[in-house]
Amino acid sequence: RPGPAPPTPISGRHIKEVRLLDYVLRNAEAGDVASICGAIERFGESEWASHGLWSKAAGDSKAEVLKLAARCAPPGGAALEIGTYCGYTALQIAGALPGVMLQTMEVDPVNAVIARNIVALAGLARRVDVRLGHSRLLLEHVAEGPWSEMRFSCVFMDRWGSQYLDDFSLLETSGRLMPGAVVVADNVFWTGAAQFLWHMLVRGHATQLVAVEELATQHADVMSVSIFGGTGVTFAKGEEAAAAEAMPPELQCLHEESEKMRLRVFGGGRRKVFPEERAAFAERTAASMRRALSA
C-alpha cells in the first residue's frame, strides 16, 4: 500500500506565522494566557523586528489600550473581533473579559488554523469562536446558531482601515451593537481609516484617538476608541445633516489612496507597501483629519 501523502508545503508568505506557532508551542505554558501572549511578543521582538517585518499583532501599548477599553464595555454582551490574525488579541480580549463569549473573524485559512491552535492552547476554545471567512459575509450571518440572542458590547477592528466603515455599518444597521458598546479600531492612520473616523464623529459616537507603537518595529501608530451612541459631535436632521455627513474631498482622496494601497498588498500581485510610505501616508491622514475637524 502506498504511504500517506506528503504534507502540503506552506507557502512562503505564511512562514513567519508557522514559525510563530512553533515557537509558542515550544515556549509557552498551556492554559496560561499571559505566558502565551508573552511568547508571541518575544517572538515578534526577536524574529520580526530583526528582519524589519510588520508584526500584525497589536501588542505592547496597543494591547494595553485594547484591554483597558474592553473592560469599559457594558455588561451582558459578547465581544467581536474582525481580523484575528494568529489569535494574540483574541486572547487579550478574552483575558480582559472573563466569561464573555468572543467571536473572531479571519479571512486567511492558514492564519485561522494557527489562531485556533493558539486559542486551544490557552484553554479558551469553548468561548472563543474563530470563524473563517470575509467579514462582509460573516457579519451578515453573525446572528445564527448560538449567537442568535447575543449583542456585542465590545468590538475590535483590525484589518485594512479603508474597510472599517463597511464592517461598522453592517453592525450599526443590524441592531447587533449594545448601547454604549466600546468600538476599538487599530491602524486608523497607518492604513487610512479616514472614512470610518469621519462617520463616527458626525454620527455622534464619542471617539478618542490614542497614540501607540507597533510591536517589534516601534513605528508610531494611532488607535481609535469609540462609544457607540455616546456623546460626541452631532448635527441637525435634514439637509444640514446630509451636508455634514458628506466627507470632505481631502479625506475622500485619502480614502481612495488607502484603497489603492490595500489592493497593492492584497491583490493578485501582493506588492509590498514600504514602512516609509505608510508613515508618510499616516502623517497626511493626521494632518487632513485635523484640518477637517477644525473647519
Side-chain angles (χ1 to χ4, degrees):
R1 297 176 58 185
T8 301
I10 300 295
S11 64
R13 67 187 181 93
H14 289 109
I15 288 298
K16 71 175 186 176
E17 288 81 13
V18 172
R19 292 181 62 192
L20 166 65
L21 177 60
D22 176 68
Y23 181 89
V24 171
L25 291 174
R26 288 187 291 106
N27 293 278
E29 183 176 344
D32 188 328
V33 169
S35 173
I36 296 169
C37 288
I40 294 172
E41 292 166 0
R42 290 194 301 275
F43 181 85
E45 292 167 353
S46 64
E47 297 290 325
W48 293 337
S50 63
H51 295 89
L53 297 173
W54 184 17
S55 72
K56 289 189 178 181
D60 291 343
S61 59
K62 290 190 173 188
E64 294 306 312
V65 171
L66 177 59
K67 289 187 290 184
L68 180 61
R71 294 185 185 115
C72 295
L80 172 67
E81 179 182 42
I82 302 173
T84 314
Y85 188 46
C86 291
Y88 172 86
T89 44
L91 297 191
Q92 295 285 17
I93 296 169
L97 298 172
V100 172
M101 297 290 290
L102 167 64
Q103 185 171 134
T104 179
M105 302 174 175
E106 173 57 43
V107 72
D108 187 295
V110 175
N111 291 346
V113 169
I114 290 172
R116 287 169 180 164
N117 278 272
I118 286 178
V119 167
L121 181 67
L124 294 172
R126 289 185 177 273
R127 67 181 180 95
V128 177
D129 180 9
V130 181
R131 295 208 171 183
L132 174 62
H134 195 286
S135 57
R136 183 181 65 252
L137 301 175
L138 293 178
L139 287 172
E140 293 177 354
H141 303 283
V142 74
E144 295 179 353
W147 297 86
S148 59
E149 301 300 322
M150 294 186 184
R151 291 199 294 170
F152 296 111
S153 60
C154 178
V155 177
F156 179 49
M157 298 190 294
D158 190 13
R159 64 187 192 103
W160 201 269
S162 61
Q163 302 287 290
Y164 286 166
L165 184 57
D166 293 345
D167 293 334
F168 182 77
S169 294
L170 284 171
L171 291 169
E172 189 176 34
T173 58
S174 67
R176 304 302 299 178
L177 290 175
M178 292 180 62
V182 175
V183 180
V184 182
D186 195 13
N187 306 122
V188 292
F189 287 175
W190 197 251
T191 59
Q195 189 183 50
F196 166 75
L197 291 175
W198 183 255
H199 176 88
M200 299 302 282
L201 292 168
V202 301
R203 285 295 180 94
H205 305 305
T207 298
Q208 178 73 45
L209 299 180
V210 184
V212 289
E213 291 183 342
E214 287 284 356
L215 174 66
T217 63
Q218 304 302 309
H219 287 135
D221 198 7
V222 174
M223 300 174 80
S224 69
V225 180
S226 304
I227 305 298
F228 178 64
T231 302
V233 181
T234 57
F235 296 93
K237 296 181 179 179
E239 294 183 2
E240 184 180 350
E245 290 196 25
M247 192 164 62
E250 185 176 11
L251 297 185
Q252 181 61 38
C253 288
L254 283 170
H255 172 70
E256 293 170 1
E257 185 178 351
S258 176
E259 275 291 276
K260 290 178 182 178
M261 284 198 297
R262 182 180 68 85
L263 293 174
R264 279 172 56 187
V265 173
F266 298 108
R270 288 189 174 270
R271 293 175 292 163
K272 185 175 181 179
V273 177
F274 293 96
E276 297 79 7
E277 185 178 356
R278 287 181 185 268
F281 177 77
E283 290 178 6
R284 293 199 305 277
T285 301
S288 296
M289 287 300 301
R290 285 194 294 267
R291 284 192 291 269
L293 293 176
S294 63

